[in-house]
Amino acid sequence: MKKLDLKTGYDIYIDHDYNINTLLDKDKKYLYVIDEVVLNLYGSNISGEKVIVGPGEKAKDISTILKIYDGCIEIGLERDDYIVAIGGGSTGDAAGFAASTFKRGIGFINVPTTLLAMIDSSIGGKTAIDYNGIKNQIGTFYDPSIVYMDMKFLKTLPADVIKSSMGEVIKYAVLSRSFYEWLNKNLDMVLAMDSDIIEELVERCTTIKADIVNQDRIDRGVRAYLNLGHTIGHAIEMYYGVSHGLAVAAGIYYESLISYRMGMLQEGTLQFIISLIDRCAVDTQYPIDKGLISLMAHDKKNTNGRLGFILPEDIGLVKKVMIDEKELYDILKDPGI
Ligand SMILES: NC(=O)c1ccc[n+]([C@@H]2O[C@H](COP(=O)([O-])OP(=O)(O)OC[C@H]3O[C@@H](n4cnc5c(N)ncnc54)[C@H](O)[C@@H]3O)[C@@H](O)[C@H]2O)c1
Ligand SMILES: [Zn+2]
């Protein structure tokens, strides 16, 4: 078991043999909140009281939170006991939200089982559920005490879930030039899920994320950069019902196109970004109509009715830009580059 030092204030481990029990305190109570698919695949290794959620995004519903509270009450969880999330980003987001609100906050341990959850959602302490058809409308900032990443979970990921994680991987490549260069060299091995390369990917991405979050934990400044691709991405996710990571990849495509059309991004750099997305074989073509644009009105980066975007100006350089709905429609109404 390896411990990462990311200065987050909580312990982050990478392991290969499901040794989490060695990290748990025998005197505490634990409620396992586990994704349905993960339970079917790995349930025999996981003992203890369980609340089954999902699968996937279905977990991020208010009804799941009530189910988790009921589970907490049933086994008498107290403030220094723990909820343990075992699943992808959806399970972690929902279980983290329940942990942050039950008795005003009980212990939380996150065991991410997807690549996206390892490289992104398990780090940074954001929890969320969806509400009224709006992504992440309700949530809290709440750090776990442990993040335990077991690489073995990745062996059973279906191809579409792996592809979905690439949306966040591409995001990090646009945010960090050194990571972009590493990814360009290693992308084929990443897509083939080579175990050493994936472990290096997890370490590199979590380092980038922790560096940004450590400067702005409550998302009032630079943390917004991690939302590259997400203003359009979240709207595509809800409007077209595609998975988070695939929608983010398409969001990065459209937000790069906006930047290029506004004269902020050179054509050559736009092509570098598109080429990364193409190599991951992610579809980017979603009609940007007025219904989709109106969904963006709920984005948390908006102010005074204008939509907030994180736009790339170069690899390793992004800027927050406000655009109104009509202007956005005009910029994006022509398809193609
Ligand atoms: N909190 C944050 O900072 C943050 C950051 C990024 C994304 N997110 C959220 O994360 C969610 C997406 O997470 P995700 O991509 O991990 O998807 P997910 O949790 O929705 O899971 C996707 C699918 O993978 C299955 N699965 C999970 N682990 C598996 C395994 N080991 N083997 C086989 N199947 C497995 C699930 O059953 C589900 O069907 C979105 O809701 C997004 O908003 C949150
Ligand atoms: Zn995301």
Side-chain angles (χ1 to χ4, degrees):
M1 194 183 308
K2 176 156 116 191
K3 193 167 171 179
L4 303 184
D5 182 17
L6 302 182
K7 316 238 170 339
T8 51
Y10 44 90
D11 294 336
I12 302 164
Y13 297 93
I14 291 189
D15 201 5
H16 303 89
D17 221 1
Y18 206 70
N19 288 310
I20 193 171
N21 289 339
T22 60
L23 302 173
L24 304 183
D25 179 343
K26 286 182 188 55
D27 297 329
K28 305 287 177 206
K29 284 187 198 149
Y30 296 89
L31 176 71
Y32 293 85
V33 174
I34 181 163
D35 179 280
E36 187 182 304
V37 171
V38 177
L39 179 73
N40 290 336
L41 291 165
Y42 299 98
S44 57
N45 299 325
I46 300 156
S47 53
E49 293 298 323
K50 300 179 188 74
V51 172
I52 302 161
V53 301
E57 191 76 23
K58 278 195 198 142
K60 291 178 64 167
D61 185 82
I62 189 83
S63 60
T64 308
I65 304 305
L66 303 181
K67 224 164 97 175
I68 300 172
Y69 293 153
D70 287 342
C72 293
I73 292 164
E74 213 163 285
I75 66 165
L77 284 199
E78 293 175 350
R79 287 192 68 186
D80 54 356
D81 294 322
Y82 292 86
I83 285 178
V84 183
I86 307 183
S90 302
T91 306
D93 277 8
F97 179 74
S100 72
T101 46
F102 187 69
K103 297 198 177 189
R104 295 204 186 91
I106 62 171
F108 178 49
I109 294 174
N110 201 347
V111 181
T113 62
T114 65
L115 185 55
L116 183 145
M118 290 184 189
I119 62 164
D120 193 337
S121 63
S122 61
I123 308 293
K126 274 190 183 177
T127 81
I129 54 170
D130 307 329
Y131 191 63
N132 240 352
I134 312 294
K135 209 35 213 177
N136 295 342
Q137 189 73 346
I138 300 175
T140 53
F141 292 98
Y142 197 66
D143 282 342
S145 36
I146 297 174
V147 178
Y148 177 83
M149 308 187 186
D150 194 319
M151 297 293 136
K152 267 202 179 153
F153 283 117
L154 303 180
K155 303 270 178 236
T156 51
L157 285 183
D160 60 327
V161 178
I162 295 173
K163 200 195 254 197
S164 179
S165 62
M166 296 313 293
E168 307 286 13
V169 173
I170 295 164
K171 172 186 83 180
Y172 289 124
V174 179
L175 292 177
S176 157
R177 178 167 283 278
S178 59
F179 179 65
Y180 169 82
E181 275 154 17
W182 179 86
L183 187 66
N184 234 343
K185 261 191 239 132
N186 293 289
L187 186 55
D188 294 340
M189 303 254 270
V190 169
L191 293 169
M193 294 295 280
D194 175 275
S195 14
D196 291 341
I197 288 289
I198 289 295
E199 200 165 316
E200 189 175 347
L201 176 90
V202 170
E203 289 192 37
R204 283 177 178 268
C205 293
T206 50
T207 302
I208 299 171
K209 178 146 188 190
D211 280 351
I212 295 175
V213 172
N214 290 348
Q215 296 170 53
D216 174 27
R217 302 183 81 75
I218 55 160
D219 206 0
R220 296 280 182 244
V222 292
R223 187 168 182 164
Y225 294 169
L226 291 164
N227 270 303
L228 173 73
H230 284 66
T231 305
I232 295 189
H234 278 156
I236 289 177
E237 183 177 353
M238 297 315 258
Y239 199 61
Y240 291 107
V242 286
S243 70
H244 180 73
L246 294 181
V248 167
I252 294 172
Y253 167 78
Y254 284 112
E255 293 178 10
S256 303
L257 194 60
I258 295 170
S259 191
Y260 167 68
R261 289 184 176 168
M262 289 177 72
M264 291 168 50
L265 182 70
Q266 293 196 344
E267 184 172 357
T269 317
L270 173 68
Q271 293 299 353
F272 288 152
I273 297 170
I274 293 176
S275 134
L276 266 189
I277 299 172
D278 284 350
R279 282 175 69 194
C280 298
V282 176
D283 187 12
T284 53
Q285 298 307 307
Y286 296 92
I288 307 293
D289 60 23
K290 290 186 174 153
L292 181 104
I293 289 177
S294 69
L295 262 187
M296 294 176 212
H298 303 281
D299 194 276
K300 293 182 277 303
K301 293 182 294 306
N302 297 347
T303 36
N304 300 329
R306 305 192 87 204
L307 307 173
F309 289 88
I310 303 302
L311 299 184
E313 294 187 288
D314 197 352
I315 302 293
L317 184 67
V318 292
K319 184 177 176 184
K320 185 170 176 189
V321 175
M322 308 304 294
I323 305 176
D324 67 38
E325 285 188 33
K326 158 103 182 50
E327 205 182 335
L328 179 69
Y329 183 74
D330 289 341
I331 294 171
L332 286 178
K333 69 178 184 299
D334 295 328
I337 292 164

